[in-house]
Amino acid sequence: MLSIFPDYYHKFRCTASRCLHNCCIGWEIDIDENTASFYNSVSGDMGKRLRESIASEDDVSHFILKEGERCPFLNSQNLCDIIISLGEEHLCTICREHPRFHNQLPGRVESGLGMCCEEAARLILSETSPVEFLTEGTAECEDEIVALRDEVIKKLQDRSKTIDERIGDMLTACDASLPERTCSQWADFLSGLERLQDSWTDMLTLLNDKGDTADLAAFDAHMQNRQTEYEQLLIYIVYRHMANAPDFDEVAPRVAFAALCYRLLHTLGAVIYNEKGDFTFEQQLGLCRMLSSEIEYSDENLYALLTELY
């Protein structure tokens, strides 16, 4: 079995209480069967607390969120009482692995970090060298979609071309295109999907009101030395989603999704720059984290968008 991961993968360290967007707040946290069984065996006060804080629906256990949608084991210092009391090895799979993802493909497992985590997004976007994908083990079979995906990544890393030219090459290679819609029309579509955060609603309103009149040329001049942020964004999306296509017909909407994410984030950056006279790395990070949380981490939203791009 071949294992693949980007070169920044093992650099990730959770910032715990320093995180501004805690993954233990606002998310329903399912508990895998083995961990649920262990929690049910814990004795004493901690065992009692565990059983009082867990509910089951359709044979799936999950933590009962407290006020403010906080995990019941997230203490006042924003640290995890399960880690403190039982050790990190007794976290449920979701908590132990987040924000890591693992795509199971024929003969290989591709791992990475999800941009819904601000520290993961920081690692990805701050890489100025072309990302490399490291391997462990040996491949058991070849996959034509993976081979095409790897060619697309090479095209996106061709720094002799502009980002727009690279996106054009990507779409052409996959026989894909973006629907001809205005930013306002995309904002309307996205506003009809499930939304987690008011801040995302605010961004969609901004996109709807000012996206189609944004001064992109002025913004591009401001960002001329920061194009690697968009390169890394595009490669992250292509790496995470393209090889998951069940057949070649499903490849096009996935690369169109990458192109659309760039267009939305690039336009929002321009709107913010036009209004504020600046657009910082932290603002870029925040936009990418929001988009990932709202789209990538909602199966319903991601499916709806891919269907729209089909």
Side-chain angles (χ1 to χ4, degrees):
M1 179 70 72
L2 183 66
S3 296
I4 299 179
F5 46 90
D7 53 12
Y8 53 75
Y9 181 73
H10 290 302
K11 296 179 185 178
F12 175 78
R13 298 291 183 274
C14 176
T15 58
S17 60
R18 294 183 286 113
C19 182
L20 299 178
H21 301 278
N22 198 298
C23 58
C24 305
I25 302 173
W27 300 86
E28 183 173 285
I29 306 167
D30 289 340
I31 307 168
D32 59 280
E33 187 175 343
N34 288 339
T35 306
S37 177
F38 170 76
Y39 287 165
N40 196 49
S41 72
V42 175
S43 60
D45 291 341
M46 189 59 177
K48 181 174 183 292
R49 183 180 170 192
L50 280 163
R51 287 180 282 279
E52 289 176 347
S53 302
I54 294 173
S56 295
E57 296 177 18
D58 299 324
D59 295 325
V60 177
S61 299
H62 62 86
F63 291 117
I64 302 169
L65 300 184
K66 297 174 67 177
E67 184 178 354
E69 296 190 312
R70 293 173 64 91
C71 172
F73 293 95
L74 184 66
N75 64 31
S76 59
Q77 287 78 45
N78 279 349
L79 297 174
C80 176
D81 282 340
I82 291 178
I83 293 178
I84 293 170
S85 298
L86 302 176
E88 187 173 354
E89 66 273 19
H90 291 304
L91 290 173
C92 60
T93 300
I94 287 177
C95 292
R96 186 171 59 252
E97 287 294 314
H98 184 82
R100 302 166 188 86
F101 65 83
H102 306 284
N103 290 335
Q104 305 287 333
L105 302 171
R108 59 203 284 144
V109 177
E110 297 190 343
S111 301
L113 303 175
M115 270 200 183
C116 76
C117 166
E118 65 187 50
E119 184 60 20
R122 187 183 305 280
L123 273 176
I124 295 167
L125 295 175
S126 62
E127 288 284 324
T128 55
S129 299
V131 63
E132 296 182 14
F133 293 92
L134 309 180
T135 62
E136 294 178 353
T138 57
E140 297 180 1
C141 63
E142 295 184 1
D143 186 302
E144 292 182 353
I145 293 179
V146 169
L148 176 60
R149 190 276 313 276
D150 293 346
E151 286 301 314
V152 166
I153 288 176
K154 290 180 182 178
K155 293 179 185 299
L156 291 172
Q157 290 181 324
D158 182 357
R159 296 184 178 182
S160 69
K161 297 184 177 182
T162 67
I163 293 294
D164 286 335
E165 289 171 336
R166 294 184 235 177
I167 290 173
D169 290 344
M170 171 184 73
L171 294 173
T172 298
C174 300
D175 195 23
S177 62
L178 271 180
E180 293 185 5
R181 295 187 183 178
T182 65
C183 289
S184 178
Q185 288 171 328
W186 279 118
D188 285 341
F189 175 81
L190 294 171
S191 295
L193 303 181
E194 177 189 21
R195 279 167 281 157
L196 298 176
Q197 306 162 82
D198 291 340
S199 54
W200 179 239
T201 300
D202 293 340
M203 290 299 102
L204 294 180
T205 300
L206 201 61
L207 186 68
N208 188 34
D209 292 345
K210 300 183 178 183
D212 293 315
T213 59
D215 185 347
L216 299 179
F219 179 61
D220 286 339
H222 172 71
M223 295 291 290
Q224 62 180 336
N225 295 321
R226 291 171 55 189
Q227 293 301 290
T228 54
E229 294 169 24
Y230 292 119
E231 175 187 309
Q232 305 295 14
L233 165 74
L234 286 160
I235 290 172
Y236 158 77
I237 296 171
V238 165
Y239 172 71
R240 181 166 189 175
H241 296 286
M242 184 173 163
N244 280 340
D247 53 52
F248 274 97
D249 288 341
E250 297 286 346
V251 166
R254 283 164 169 74
V255 296
F257 172 61
L260 178 61
C261 288
Y262 165 76
R263 182 185 177 192
L264 296 174
L265 293 168
H266 178 249
T267 303
L268 279 170
V271 171
I272 293 170
Y273 177 74
N274 295 164
E275 287 196 335
K276 307 293 185 181
D278 196 12
F279 181 70
T280 67
F281 177 78
E282 294 298 322
Q283 289 170 314
Q284 178 85 287
L285 188 156
L287 289 180
C288 292
R289 184 198 60 78
M290 273 192 282
L291 185 143
S292 178
S293 298
E294 299 284 344
I295 305 299
E296 284 191 301
Y297 281 79
S298 166
D299 290 339
E300 294 82 1
N301 286 355
L302 182 59
Y303 176 79
L305 194 49
L306 291 177
T307 300
E308 196 72 8
L309 293 167
Y310 191 82

